[in-house]
Amino acid sequence: QVQLVESGGGLVQAGGSLRLSCKASGSIFSINVMGWYLQAPGKQRELVAVITSGGTTNYSDSVKGRVTISRDIVKNTVYLEMNNLKPEDTGVYHCNARTTWYDAWGQGTQVTVSS
């Protein structure tokens, strides 16, 4: 099984920046794709960004140009660098690891952007 632990959330003013971290442990060799998803208040969980095992990245249109997903293979950690944050970026950010057999999810980290 894969376990995921997120960190780095917090309260920030609009226009500010945050870096989220997601550390993976367990059966990390089975991970094909890792990503970040946003659970905004009253909304369904939606994709923010993903990175494949080959390093290919993909972003939602709402964050393109403001967000960068990256990884440190040695540390088994994926990062989400978020800049020029907006109030609509507020919510719980969940880390996801997709394997051949299942999806693993972290507990999430809260990001609140004040206007």
Side-chain angles (χ1 to χ4, degrees):
Q1 293 289 324
V2 173
Q3 294 83 42
L4 303 171
V5 178
E6 304 99 331
S7 61
L11 173 63
V12 63
Q13 289 188 329
S17 299
L18 281 175
R19 189 177 81 155
L20 308 183
S21 300
C22 172
K23 185 170 178 60
S25 61
S27 303
I28 57 175
F29 62 89
S30 65
I31 298 173
N32 299 316
V33 181
M34 290 192 71
W36 288 94
Y37 289 74
L38 168 63
Q39 181 87 58
K43 295 186 178 180
Q44 289 189 331
R45 192 173 296 185
E46 61 181 20
L47 172 72
V48 177
V50 294
I51 184 166
T52 70
S53 57
T56 300
T57 59
N58 194 27
Y59 300 90
S60 70
D61 289 341
S62 62
V63 303
K64 279 181 182 176
R66 301 190 295 120
V67 166
T68 302
I69 188 169
S70 62
R71 62 181 181 174
D72 185 325
I73 294 174
V74 173
K75 294 182 179 179
N76 298 325
T77 300
V78 171
Y79 303 99
L80 190 71
E81 184 80 34
M82 302 189 292
N83 301 305
N84 190 23
L85 283 160
K86 304 176 181 181
E88 52 263 42
D89 296 321
T90 293
V92 179
Y93 284 75
H94 293 271
C95 182
N96 168 267
R98 178 157 296 177
T99 76
T100 303
W101 305 280
Y102 61 88
D103 279 353
W105 292 93
Q107 293 282 57
T109 185
Q110 175 71 42
V111 171
T112 302
V113 184
S114 63
S115 58

